[in-house]
Structures are given as structure tokens and as C-alpha cells.
Amino acid sequence: MIGSNNSAFDICGALWENDAEVTMVQRSSTHVVKSDSLMDLGLGDLYSERALAAGITTQKADLTFASMPYRIMDTFQRPVYDRIRERDREFYDRLERAGFLLDWGDDDSGLFMKYLRRGSGYYIDVGAADLIADGRVRLAHGQVTGLTETSVVLEDGTELEADLVVYATGYGSMNGWAADLIGREVADRVGKVWGLGSDTTKDPGPWEGEQRNMWKPTRQEGLWFHGGNLHQSRHYSLYLALQLKARYEGIPTPVHGLQEVHHLS
């Protein structure tokens, strides 16, 4: 298994459950957070039965989450992940003893900031991390430099014998998909999609203050981007739909500045 984020972990778990001998090749560090801890400490005040009992409907929760300015969101996230790290200390110690490379984001702000900035580099653990911690799924490290008929070759010359190689190496960028589907010229006209310009790993500056080119007009007329998690898909689809409906009905919809193009991918 080449990769060590959400897809890689889940596929490792599925293969192991079907009696395969599995080795995960970790190429860079990964942020791991248990699903139960994330839901309790990270999201429980907004999305849970206790939140609903306190009068926080899904609509109120979505609006509350969306109202937090991205510029200061990391300062609110760090204490949450400090609590998660303390609660699950034994779990993280086991992973590190197994040789797994952990991180908490460039500034220790955890999963959600990694997601907003780069959309990668994390695993929401629903059980597969224990397979690594217990040694039931083996672990190797390094970049893959080639494949032979029977093995995976790592940068230090190590060869890992394999009957099957799965590349779970991350989803392509949205503008990368636009280039494949529509054309490179259009993708370059739009520029980078997703990220905040935080000047952290895989999210180069300058600071934008909002998700690049998401849910708003782009520099390619008629091309809009929609995506994200359930919260974003519920909340921002409304505003995207209103913009499209207004244009369809001929209602004036002036745009006060389109996204500047600083990066092409």
C-alpha cells in the first residue's frame, strides 16, 4: 500500500480483514485522530445529540462553523487537539513505537486546518491505525522509485516483494481535474482551487482569507467549483445555487473582484 492517509488506511484494513499480508509504505508524516475523539471534543458542541438537545440544529451548526474567520481559526483549533492528544496519548505512543511518523499540522492546529489548507495529510481513524500500532500491518518508509515484476523499490534500494501494489497517493487538485476534463488553458486561467494561502505545506501564499475559487465566479465564465465536506456542501451549495439562479433569471449579479491567479496547480 503506497500512502498513509484516509484511503490508504481504509484499504489496508479491508485487505487485512480478507487475510492479505499488508505493508504500508509511508512517504511523509500523517496526522491521525480517532473518529470518536474528533466527534466528541472537536465537533460535539455543534454536531451531536447533546448539541441537538441544547437547541443547536444542523442549520445553526453549519452557520456557526462558517462564521469563524479562517484567519483566527487555528487559534481555536489548537486547544482542541491538545485535549485529543492528551486523551489518546497511549494510542499515539503505540503508533510512534511502531515507527509511524505522526504530525499535528505545521502549527499544531490539527486536522481541520490541514483539510482547509491542503485537503490531505490526515487519517480519521475508525480502527485501521491499530493494525499499524500492533504490527498486524507492516510499515515501511521512503519514496517509491520504481516497480519490478515482483516488488516495490524504495529510494534507499530496499525492495518489498509484492503480488499487488495499491497506490493510495491522494486525490488530484480540483484545477488539475479541470485541466484533464476541460483543458490546461482553462485551468491556468482559473488558477489554484482550494486552500487559504496560509503559506504552510502545500498551501502557498499569499493569504486569501477564503477558499480559493470555491462557490463563486471564476476567471472562466460559466465554470464554478463546488466540493468539500458535508458541512460545506450543505451550507455553501445554497449560496452557489442562489448565484446561478440569479444569473438564470437575469438579475444583475456584479462581481467585485475575481480570484487573483498566483499559482497554477
Side-chain angles (χ1 to χ4, degrees):
M1 178 62 56
I2 314 302
S4 58
N5 295 336
N6 270 323
S7 297
F9 266 101
D10 289 343
I11 297 169
C12 279
L15 289 171
W16 182 86
E17 288 174 352
N18 285 276
D19 300 321
E21 294 183 6
V22 185
T23 298
M24 173 184 283
V25 178
Q26 186 180 26
R27 299 168 301 151
S28 59
S29 63
T30 304
H31 174 55
V32 179
V33 60
K34 283 180 170 291
S35 177
D36 289 347
S37 296
L38 178 64
M39 290 307 301
D40 183 19
L41 299 178
L43 297 170
D45 290 338
L46 292 176
Y47 301 101
S48 69
E49 293 298 324
R50 77 168 187 261
L52 190 61
I56 305 298
T57 64
T58 301
Q59 291 74 23
K60 287 181 180 178
D62 285 349
L63 184 60
T64 300
F65 215 139
S67 69
M68 177 65 67
Y70 290 135
R71 173 60 87 181
I72 61 173
M73 184 175 286
D74 58 319
T75 64
F76 290 87
Q77 293 292 299
R78 287 190 198 95
V80 172
Y81 289 94
D82 286 344
R83 293 169 63 197
I84 290 174
R85 181 162 25 191
E86 185 59 33
R87 170 189 279 195
D88 297 325
R89 180 175 299 279
E90 190 271 338
F91 165 73
Y92 292 115
D93 287 345
R94 288 171 52 229
L95 272 176
E96 290 188 316
R97 284 196 299 269
F100 193 81
L101 303 176
L102 288 168
D103 73 62
W104 295 82
D106 284 17
D107 53 3
D108 290 332
S109 57
L111 184 145
F112 198 62
M113 295 310 301
K114 255 198 168 186
Y115 164 74
L116 290 171
R117 291 164 172 171
R118 54 183 280 189
S120 65
Y122 51 83
Y123 171 52
I124 301 174
D125 179 41
V126 292
D130 281 328
L131 300 177
I132 294 289
D134 297 342
R136 287 173 285 175
V137 168
R138 292 187 291 269
L139 186 64
H141 297 94
Q143 298 297 325
V144 176
T145 57
L147 302 174
T148 72
E149 291 184 356
T150 59
S151 67
V152 174
V153 182
L154 302 183
E155 57 190 343
D156 64 358
T158 299
E159 289 196 32
L160 305 173
E161 292 188 7
D163 299 311
L164 168 71
V165 180
V166 179
Y167 270 78
T169 52
Y171 297 101
S173 64
M174 293 188 190
N175 45 307
W177 283 108
D180 291 342
L181 295 170
I182 306 170
R184 172 56 60 185
E185 181 182 354
V186 170
D188 288 351
R189 185 179 304 129
V190 171
K192 191 174 180 66
V193 180
W194 201 259
L196 304 173
S198 63
D199 208 23
T200 57
T201 303
K202 297 189 179 181
D203 185 30
W207 175 255
E208 301 291 350
E210 59 185 5
Q211 293 285 336
R212 296 184 185 94
N213 281 310
M214 293 296 297
W215 313 294
K216 60 185 180 181
T218 68
R219 290 186 176 272
Q220 174 59 53
E221 185 176 357
L223 178 61
W224 303 68
F225 290 87
H226 173 67
N229 58 24
L230 289 175
H231 153 250
Q232 291 170 310
S233 294
R234 278 192 308 263
H235 186 75
Y236 293 109
S237 60
L238 171 62
Y239 302 107
L240 175 55
L242 286 172
Q243 293 175 82
L244 295 177
K245 178 65 171 175
R247 285 161 173 76
Y248 180 78
E249 297 294 345
I251 299 172
T253 53
V255 176
H256 303 288
L258 296 170
Q259 181 77 53
E260 294 293 335
V261 177
H262 301 287
H263 311 282
L264 299 182
S265 63

